[in-house]
Amino acid sequence: MGILVNESQIGGGGPSNTSRNIGDIFYTTRTDNSLNGAVECNGSQYNFSDFDSNLQSLFDDGKLPYIPIGEFDEMVTNQGGCDSFGYGTNELIIYPVTYMFGSTPRTLCYTNITNWYEVERDYYDKLLNVKVYDKDTHEELVGYYLKYIPETDCFYVYNNSDENMYGADSVYPERDGEPITLPTGGEFQATTYFKVPKKLSRVLVRTQKPTEDNNYTWFNLYSDGWCEQGGRVNATNGRSGYTVTLLIEMNNLNYNAITSLANSSYSTTGMAAVPKTSTTINLYNDQSGGRLMTWQVIGYANSVEYTKDKWNYQNVQVERPMIQLFNSTTDTAVATCNQVLADVSALNQGDYVIETQLPTEDNNYSWYRLYKSGWVEQGKFRNMMDAGANVTCMLIIPMKDTNYFVTGVYDTNTTAISSLSRIGVGTKTTQSFQMRTEGGQYSWEVKGFSNITN
C-alpha cells in the first residue's frame, strides 16, 4: 500500500520489505533489546560468529568506522560513550622462541605466532606473516624470518643481511618462558569479537516542573539514574535548621547538596545542607528571621526510582538509539543477537555532552559541560572574594538569557560553619553575575541553556 502525495502514489504495488544498511544508526521508541537485525547502541560486546553477515569484512575494508577496543573502552570510561565500533586491539602478544644450549633451553627471540606448522609458507618454506622480535627490547627485527627445513623437520631463524641462521641451530616455539603482552601502541591485531557504538544519550524519563501547586519544587530523573532536583523553602526555624524531604530518593550520601537565597538582593544568610540522608537534607539559617532559600541536590538516585515501569512516556519523549548489524526485516534474524559477551552497564541516554572542560590549575579550576541541546553546567572552585564587595563572576559559556540557576557555597577544608558562609546573588546577565559575600573562598555553579545552538 502506497502513500498519496498530490494525487501521486509513492510506493505500493507489492509487499513491503524495507531494510537498512549494516552500520546504520537509528532511533526508536520500541523497548526491545534487539529489533530486526539491530541492537541497542550501548557499547555491548558481540562475537562475529553470532551473525550471518559480512560485518567483519566491512571493518577490514574500511567501510565501517572503528577504533581498537582498548581505545574504545578508554573513551567510554572517560567520556561516557563512543560513536565508532570497537574492533581489534593494539596489544600484541608475542611468544618466546627457544633453542637448546646443551640440555638447557634458552630464549633466542620472540614471534607473534605459536603454531608454526599451521602457518602458510612460500615456495622456499619461508613462514609468511611470522615476525621476529628482539628478546630484550621486544622491538621487531625487520627482515628477519623463520624457515622450515623438511629434511630435518626443524625451524630456523634467519637474519636479514646475509641470509645466515640467527644465533642458533634449530629453534622451538614457546619451549620455555611466558608470553609477553606489549602495551597499547603495538601492532593492530584483529579480534573475533567487536563492540557496538555507545551513544552518549542521557534520556530524561521522569520530570516535574516547578509550579505554585507543587510549591515550586522540581526534578529531572534520567534513564541511567542521574538525578537533579530542587525547590525553595521559607527557612523560618533560625539556627535550629529546616528539614527538607527530597522528591527523589538518592542512592547513597555521595551527592551534592547546595543552597542559596531565592531572591536577587544582597542580604546574606549563613546556610548549609547538612546533615543529610538519602531522603532528606537539613537547611541551616544563621539568622533568627525567616529567609526564602533555594536548595538543589545532584547525584545518582536509588535504582527503584528509575526502573522502566516508572518511565513517563506520556510527558517525556523517550527514543533509544539502535544500530543495524545485519539486513533482515524478520524477527528470526535476531535469534543470536542476544548472545552478548558482556553485560550492559547502563540504560541508554538521550541528550549528551559535546564539549567539556575539566578544572585544572591552568584554568583556575573552572569547568563546564555543554550538551547537544544547548544545556550547560559550569562553575568554578574556590574563588577568592573580598568581604562586602559586589564581585562580578564571568561565565565560561555565555547563557541564552538570565533565567539560569546560580548557586554558591563557602568552600573551606574545615567542618566549621561560620558567618563566612553568608552569600548573596545579585544582578545577572548572559555573560556574568554578581555575588556578595563575607570574604574568603567560594565555589559557584550555574545551570541553564547557553546561547550555543546545535
Side-chain angles (χ1 to χ4, degrees):
M1 184 174 182
I3 300 174
L4 287 178
V5 178
N6 295 329
E7 299 184 355
S8 298
Q9 180 170 310
I10 300 176
S16 175
N17 186 23
T18 60
S19 63
R20 295 182 176 86
N21 298 311
I22 295 176
D24 285 354
I25 292 178
F26 61 95
Y27 291 83
T28 179
T29 56
R30 290 280 292 266
T31 60
D32 311 61
N33 290 328
S34 57
L35 181 68
N36 295 332
V39 298
E40 291 186 71
C41 291
N42 54 21
S44 289
Q45 181 172 299
Y46 298 86
N47 273 328
F48 285 112
S49 59
D50 291 338
F51 300 92
D52 183 17
S53 72
N54 63 336
L55 187 60
Q56 187 166 12
S57 63
L58 293 177
F59 289 136
D60 295 335
D61 294 340
K63 294 181 179 179
L64 281 177
Y66 67 86
I67 60 175
I69 288 176
E71 296 180 22
F72 179 95
D73 292 339
E74 183 178 1
M75 185 174 292
V76 169
T77 299
N78 295 334
Q79 301 181 26
C82 179
D83 288 338
S84 296
F85 285 89
Y87 168 58
T89 175
N90 277 343
E91 291 186 342
L92 175 64
I93 300 178
I94 57 176
Y95 305 90
V97 177
T98 63
Y99 67 99
M100 295 304 297
F101 184 78
S103 60
T104 304
R106 292 186 176 180
T107 299
L108 176 68
C109 57
Y110 286 84
T111 69
N112 59 327
I113 301 294
T114 55
N115 193 340
W116 298 348
Y117 285 99
E118 294 183 356
V119 175
E120 185 180 358
R121 307 168 191 169
D122 64 10
Y123 179 79
Y124 300 99
D125 281 319
K126 175 183 176 181
L127 276 61
L128 302 179
N129 299 317
V130 176
K131 298 183 178 181
V132 180
Y133 300 87
D134 185 88
K135 70 181 181 68
D136 296 317
T137 66
H138 306 146
E139 294 182 356
E140 181 184 353
L141 299 173
V142 179
Y144 286 54
Y145 61 93
L146 284 167
K147 185 175 181 178
Y148 173 72
I149 305 299
E151 291 78 9
T152 61
D153 191 26
C154 291
F155 293 92
Y156 301 86
V157 179
Y158 287 84
N159 63 27
N160 64 340
S161 56
D162 55 9
E163 302 299 315
N164 289 325
M165 283 186 291
Y166 172 63
D169 292 330
S170 58
V171 294
Y172 311 89
E174 206 173 359
R175 189 67 171 270
D176 71 330
E178 295 295 329
I180 294 176
T181 300
L182 298 184
T184 300
E187 297 180 17
F188 178 82
Q189 301 290 307
T191 50
T192 59
Y193 59 92
F194 65 95
K195 292 188 176 183
V196 295
K198 183 173 183 179
K199 297 297 290 181
L200 291 174
S201 49
R202 173 171 279 175
V203 175
L204 182 67
V205 293
R206 289 176 61 196
T207 186
Q208 175 178 294
K209 304 303 180 186
T211 66
E212 185 177 0
D213 292 337
N214 59 33
N215 197 27
Y216 298 100
T217 55
W218 60 273
F219 67 82
N220 291 322
L221 180 61
Y222 297 87
S223 56
D224 66 342
W226 184 256
C227 180
E228 305 156 353
Q229 58 181 311
R232 68 182 191 183
V233 295
N234 191 4
T236 58
N237 289 10
R239 298 172 186 267
S240 61
Y242 186 93
T243 300
V244 173
T245 300
L246 302 179
L247 297 99
I248 301 294
E249 181 179 353
M250 304 304 288
N251 187 45
N252 48 43
L253 302 187
N254 298 324
Y255 61 83
N256 291 334
I258 48 182
T259 63
S260 182
L261 291 179
N263 53 39
S264 60
S265 71
Y266 284 119
S267 299
T268 59
T269 180
M271 59 194 67
V274 291
K276 60 185 182 181
T277 70
S278 62
T279 57
T280 63
I281 59 174
N282 190 62
L283 301 185
Y284 170 80
N285 173 18
D286 78 343
Q287 297 186 12
S288 57
R291 286 293 184 271
L292 190 60
M293 300 170 62
T294 62
W295 61 270
Q296 185 178 192
V297 163
I298 308 165
Y300 281 97
N302 189 303
S303 59
V304 300
E305 297 282 2
Y306 57 95
T307 52
K308 283 189 176 182
D309 62 326
K310 291 191 175 182
W311 286 14
N312 189 342
Y313 288 95
Q314 285 70 43
N315 298 323
V316 181
Q317 184 179 14
V318 178
E319 291 187 340
R320 298 163 57 250
M322 303 191 78
I323 188 164
Q324 200 76 30
L325 293 186
F326 56 90
N327 302 100
S328 177
T329 55
T330 66
D331 291 336
T332 58
V334 297
T336 61
C337 286
N338 293 317
Q339 297 179 23
V340 294
L341 305 181
D343 293 331
V344 178
S345 60
L347 297 171
N348 292 302
Q349 310 163 5
D351 199 8
Y352 57 89
V353 176
I354 60 173
E355 189 176 325
T356 186
Q357 174 179 294
L358 298 178
T360 66
E361 185 177 0
D362 293 336
N363 58 33
N364 293 321
Y365 299 101
S366 57
W367 61 273
Y368 67 85
R369 291 192 304 175
L370 178 63
Y371 290 77
K372 183 180 180 182
S373 64
W375 181 265
V376 66
E377 303 159 356
Q378 57 182 308
K380 189 172 184 181
F381 295 148
R382 295 184 179 172
N383 193 31
M384 290 299 298
M385 297 185 180
D386 295 331
N390 300 338
V391 178
T392 298
C393 298
M394 299 302 300
L395 297 171
I396 310 160
I397 301 295
M399 305 302 287
K400 179 181 179 181
D401 49 41
T402 59
N403 296 320
Y404 55 84
F405 189 82
V406 181
T407 54
V409 63
Y410 176 57
D411 198 340
T412 178
N413 289 328
T414 67
T415 58
I417 299 174
S418 68
S419 62
L420 290 178
S421 62
R422 295 173 177 174
I423 187 173
V425 177
T427 304
K428 297 189 294 184
T429 72
T430 58
Q431 304 287 333
S432 65
F433 65 92
Q434 289 185 321
M435 291 180 65
R436 185 180 181 91
T437 72
E438 295 297 318
Q441 288 188 140
Y442 290 81
S443 294
W444 58 265
E445 181 179 19
V446 164
K447 286 188 175 184
F449 279 100
S450 69
N451 66 355
I452 299 175
T453 57
N454 294 282

